[in-house]
Amino acid sequence: QVQLVESGGGLVQPGGSLRLSCAASGRLFAIYTMGWYRQAPGEQRELVAVITGGGTTNYGDSVKDRFTISGDNAKKTVYLQMNSLKPEDTAVYYCNYRVGPINYWGQGTQVTVSS
């Protein structure tokens, strides 16, 4: 089993920044993908950004050039730096750890962008 602990959500004004963190523990693997998805009310869960153990990244189209994902292999932690936040970024953000076809999910952290 893999456990994921998320932190860093909250309320921010449009144009502001937040940083999310997700720490993984348990039975971890050398080859994995880890990152963030989000789900707004009434919407499907969508990709935000993921990173592989080798450092390859992938971003959702709506966050490219605004969000940056990074990883610390020693700490088994990924970070999501979110800049130039927009009201449409409001959602519950879920940490994801994937090994092959197996997905593990965090409990989610709320990000609200509002003035």
Side-chain angles (χ1 to χ4, degrees):
Q1 284 288 354
V2 173
Q3 293 79 44
L4 302 171
V5 178
E6 303 148 328
S7 61
L11 172 65
V12 65
Q13 292 187 342
S17 298
L18 280 176
R19 190 175 84 150
L20 305 182
S21 300
C22 178
S25 62
R27 187 183 179 189
L28 304 179
F29 296 82
I31 300 175
Y32 65 91
T33 301
M34 190 169 173
W36 297 90
Y37 289 74
R38 68 186 183 187
Q39 188 166 19
E43 302 290 334
Q44 291 189 338
R45 193 170 294 189
E46 66 173 357
L47 168 71
V48 178
V50 294
I51 186 169
T52 69
T56 300
T57 58
N58 187 33
Y59 293 89
D61 288 340
S62 62
V63 306
K64 285 179 181 177
D65 301 324
R66 298 188 297 123
F67 292 9
T68 303
I69 191 168
S70 60
D72 185 329
N73 283 334
K75 294 182 178 179
K76 308 302 181 188
T77 300
V78 295
Y79 306 94
L80 183 68
Q81 179 65 42
M82 304 186 292
N83 298 328
S84 302
L85 282 160
K86 305 175 181 179
E88 50 264 44
D89 293 318
T90 296
V92 178
Y93 284 67
Y94 294 94
C95 183
N96 172 265
Y97 183 93
R98 181 169 60 85
V99 179
I102 301 174
N103 284 282
Y104 298 92
W105 295 95
Q107 290 188 331
T109 184
Q110 178 70 45
V111 171
T112 302
V113 184
S114 175
S115 55

